[in-house]
C-alpha cells in the first residue's frame, strides 16, 4: 500500500471540471492505461518470449521496418479500445487506414483515439526507453454511425485529451485533458498507476538539447547556427548545453518536461517535410507542452493550429521549454 492517489480515483475526481471531462472520457483514459499495462508486461518479458524481439518482416505505411512488438502493442490498444465502447474509431502509426469500429456499442462511442503504439521502436531490441503516444478527440461524425476520416483529421487544438506512456526505468503515464498535466507511475507490485507528478510544469529554460546530430549537415543552415549556439559559450548559460538524444521521442520529451530542454526534428534532405507524424506524435506532445508552459511549433506556426490533410502527415517539430523554443525560432526568422 502507498499513500498516492490511484489513476482511477484521480479520474473520478476530475469528472465535470470541464464540459469535456466526463465519465466516458475517463473510460477512454482507463482503457489506454489498461492496454499500456499489457504492453509494459510484454516489453519487460520480451527477451524471454519467442516472437517478441526483432523485426516483424514487413513495413508499415511509413516504409519503416515494423518490429514484432510494434504489432503486438498495436493489437493490444485496438482490442481494448474496441471492447471499451467509448471509442468509435482509431488511427495508428501501424495501420495505413483508420479503423472504424463496427460493433453497435462502439458506434455509440463519442471519441476517436489516434496513437503511436510503440514509439522509438528501434530501441526495443536494445532495452532503451520507448513509449506510447495518444491523442483523443470528440467525434464529428454522427453518433451511431461508423466513424469517418473527418473524425481523424482534426486540428490539435481540438484534442480533448492527450498523453503518453513512457516504458523507462519506471513506467509512467502522463496526460492532459486541458487542465494541467498529470503524471502517474506504475507500481509493479500492484500493477496500478498512482499520481506521482502533480501539475507538471516544464522549466522556462534548460540546458539540454535533443537532436539527431547525424542530420546536422542535411538541414537548413539556420538550424546549424542554432545548434552551434547551443554548443557555444555565448548562450544564456555562458557554457555549452548538454546534448541528449535517445531516439525515442517520448523519452526525449519527458526529460525536457522535467528538466527543461528543447527537442528538434527539422526538415532534412532525407525527410523534406519533416520526420515526425503530426497526428499521433506532434499534436499530443504539443498539447502537453503547452499545458506545462512550454511551446511546440513546426518552425513557422503553432503545431496545434495545423490543419491535417492526411493521416500520416509528417512535419518539422520543435518542442520544449518556452524560452528555448523562442530562441530557436529567432534563428529561423
Ligand atoms: P518509430 O516510432 O518509428 O520508432 O520512430 C521513432 C521516432 O518517430 C521518434 O520517436 C524519434 O525521436 C525519431 O523517430 C528518431 O528518428 P531518427 O532515427 O531519424 O533520429
Amino acid at each position: 500500500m502507498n499513500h498516492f492517489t490511484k489513476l482511477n480515483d484521480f479520474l473520478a475526481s476530475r469528472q465535470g471540471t470541464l464540459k469535456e471531462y466526463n465519465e466516458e472520457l475517463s473510460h477512454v483514459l482507463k482503457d489506454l492505461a489498461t492496454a499500456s499495462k499489457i504492453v509494459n508486461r510484454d516489453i519487460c518479458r520480451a527477451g524471454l518470449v519467442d516472437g517478441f524481439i526483432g523485426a516483424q518482416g514487413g513495413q508499415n505505411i511509413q516504409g519503416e521496418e515494423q518490429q514484432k512488438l510494434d504489432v503486438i502493442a498495436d493489437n493490444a490498444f485496438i482490442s481494448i479500445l474496441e471492447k471499451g465502447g467509448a471509442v468509435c474509431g482509431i488511427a495508428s502509426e501501424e495501420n495505413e487506414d483508420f479503423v472504424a469500429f463496427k460493433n453497435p456499442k462502439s458506434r455509440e462511442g463519442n471519441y476517436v483515439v489516434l496513437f503511436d503504439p510503440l514509439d522509438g521502436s528501434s530501441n526495443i531490441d536494445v532495452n532503451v526507453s520507448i513509449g506510447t503516444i495518444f491523442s483523443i478527440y470528440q467525434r464529428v461524425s454522427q453518433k451511431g454511425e461508423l466513424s469517418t476520416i473527418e473524425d481523424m483529421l482534426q486540428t490539435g487544438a481540438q484534442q480533448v485529451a492527450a498523453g503518453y506512456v513512457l516504458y523507462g526505468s519506471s513506467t509512467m503515464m502522463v496526460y492532459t485533458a486541458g487542465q494541467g498535466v498529470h503524471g502517474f507511475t506504475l507500481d509493479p507490485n500492484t500493477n496500478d498507476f498512482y499520481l506521482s507528478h502533480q501539475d507538471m510544469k516544464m522549466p522556462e529554460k534548460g540546458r539540454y538539447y535533443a537532436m539527431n546530430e547525424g542530420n546536422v549537415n542535411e538541414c537548413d543552415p539556420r538550424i546549424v547556427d542554432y545548434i552551434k549556439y547551443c554548443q557555444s559559450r555565448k548562450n544564456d548559460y555562458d557554457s555549452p548545453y548538454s546534448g541528449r538524444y535517445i531516439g525515442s521521442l517520448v523519452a526525449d520529451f519527458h526529460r525536457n518536461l522535467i528538466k527543461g530542454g528543447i527537442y528538434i526534428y527539422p526538415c532534412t534532405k532525407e525527410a523534406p517535410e519533416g520526420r515526425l507524424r503530426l497526428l499521433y506524435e506532434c499534436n499530443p506532445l504539443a498539447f502537453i507542452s503547452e499545458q506545462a508552459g512550454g511551446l511546440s511549433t513546426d518552425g513557422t506556426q503553432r503545431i496545434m493550429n495545423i490543419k491535417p490533410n492526411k493521416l500520416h502527415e509528417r512535419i518539422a517539430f520543435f518542442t520544449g521549454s518556452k524560452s528555448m523554443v523562442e530562441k530557436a525560432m529567432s534563428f529561423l526568422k
Side-chain angles (χ1 to χ4, degrees), residues 2-13 183-185 192-198:
N2 63 46
H3 62 281
F4 294 98
T5 306
K6 276 188 189 173
L7 173 65
N8 289 2
D9 295 336
F10 182 80
L11 288 170
S13 75
F184 300 81
T185 300
D192 281 314
F193 281 106
Y194 291 91
L195 182 63
S196 50
H197 295 62
Q198 292 196 36

Side-chain angles (χ1 to χ4, degrees), residues 274-305:
R275 162 134 173 54
L276 301 182
R277 277 54 58 114
L278 172 60
L279 288 175
Y280 42 80
E281 292 185 306
C282 304
N283 269 337
L285 298 186
F287 193 11
I288 292 175
S289 69
E290 289 194 9
Q291 283 292 314
L295 280 182
S296 294
T297 160
D298 70 347
T300 58
Q301 58 181 319
R302 179 181 179 232
I303 291 290
M304 291 206 290
N305 285 345

Side-chain angles (χ1 to χ4, degrees), residues 60 62 64-65 70 93-94 116 118-123 133 211-212 215 245-250 252 263 265 275-277 281:
N60 62 19
Q62 334 284 333
E64 291 158 354
E65 192 179 60
D70 280 329
E93 185 190 2
E94 304 307 329
D116 180 351
L118 217 46
D119 172 66
S121 42
S122 67
N123 281 325
I133 315 178
M211 178 187 168
N212 180 344
N215 292 330
Y245 187 72
I246 294 169
S248 295
L249 176 60
V250 171
D252 284 309
Y263 176 97
Y265 211 119
R275 162 134 173 54
L276 301 182
R277 277 54 58 114
E281 292 185 306

Side-chain angles (χ1 to χ4, degrees), residues 51-324:
F52 276 19
I53 291 275
Q56 171 78 3
Q59 289 187 336
N60 62 19
I61 174 66
Q62 334 284 333
E64 291 158 354
E65 192 179 60
Q66 265 181 328
Q67 301 299 307
K68 288 174 184 158
L69 271 173
D70 280 329
V71 178
I72 291 167
D74 196 43
N75 290 338
F77 279 97
I78 293 177
S79 106
I80 299 263
L81 291 172
E82 184 166 21
K83 282 194 198 105
V87 171
C88 60
I90 63 97
S92 104
E93 185 190 2
E94 304 307 329
N95 294 287
E96 180 166 359
D97 285 326
F98 71 95
V99 180
F101 295 148
K102 295 201 173 61
N103 69 73
K105 195 174 162 209
S106 299
R107 283 183 185 213
E108 293 297 324
N110 260 318
Y111 294 99
V112 293
V113 181
L114 289 76
F115 58 91
D116 180 351
L118 217 46
D119 172 66
S121 42
S122 67
N123 281 325
I124 294 172
D125 290 357
V126 292
N127 219 347
V128 171
S129 300
I130 46 185
T132 296
I133 315 178
F134 61 84
S135 185
I136 306 173
Y137 292 88
Q138 237 157 15
R139 71 188 300 172
V140 291
S141 59
Q142 202 63 37
K143 215 168 137 84
E145 301 289 321
L146 286 178
S147 168
T148 63
I149 186 71
E150 286 74 28
D151 294 331
M152 310 293 161
L153 297 183
Q154 303 187 54
T155 59
Q158 288 164 285
Q159 292 173 102
V160 292
Y164 59 81
V165 180
L166 172 62
Y167 310 102
S169 43
S170 65
T171 296
M172 277 193 74
M173 176 168 168
V174 174
Y175 88 91
T176 182
Q179 279 187 334
V181 178
H182 319 294
F184 300 81
T185 300
L186 185 68
D187 182 341
N189 292 330
T190 62
N191 209 29
D192 281 314
F193 281 106
Y194 291 91
L195 182 63
S196 50
H197 295 62
Q198 292 196 36
D199 195 18
M200 299 173 82
K201 293 285 175 224
M202 196 175 253
E204 162 84 19
K205 62 179 190 169
R207 307 181 77 122
Y208 293 111
Y209 72 100
M211 178 187 168
N212 180 344
E213 289 191 69
N215 292 330
V216 79
N217 296 321
E218 301 284 308
C219 52
D220 187 322
R222 293 171 299 173
I223 301 284
V224 183
D225 290 342
Y226 174 66
I227 296 298
K228 284 187 181 147
Y229 164 85
C230 294
Q231 296 168 338
S232 77
R233 291 193 169 273
K234 293 198 180 120
N235 61 38
D236 45 354
Y237 285 102
D238 299 324
S239 76
Y241 298 163
S242 289
R244 293 279 188 280
Y245 187 72
I246 294 169
S248 295
L249 176 60
V250 171
D252 284 309
F253 179 88
H254 189 72
R255 181 197 324 98
N256 292 338
L257 174 60
I258 301 230
K259 301 267 188 196
I262 184 167
Y263 176 97
I264 301 172
Y265 211 119
C267 302
T268 63
K269 285 187 191 138
E270 185 86 11
E273 290 166 358
R275 162 134 173 54
L276 301 182
R277 277 54 58 114
L278 172 60
L279 288 175
Y280 42 80
E281 292 185 306
C282 304
N283 269 337
L285 298 186
F287 193 11
I288 292 175
S289 69
E290 289 194 9
Q291 283 292 314
L295 280 182
S296 294
T297 160
D298 70 347
T300 58
Q301 58 181 319
R302 179 181 179 232
I303 291 290
M304 291 206 290
N305 285 345
I306 299 172
K307 174 77 188 119
N309 295 308
K310 55 184 180 184
L311 278 184
H312 302 288
E313 188 163 334
R314 294 177 189 264
I315 47 162
F317 195 38
F318 302 78
T319 185
S321 294
K322 184 169 179 288
S323 74
M324 297 177 85

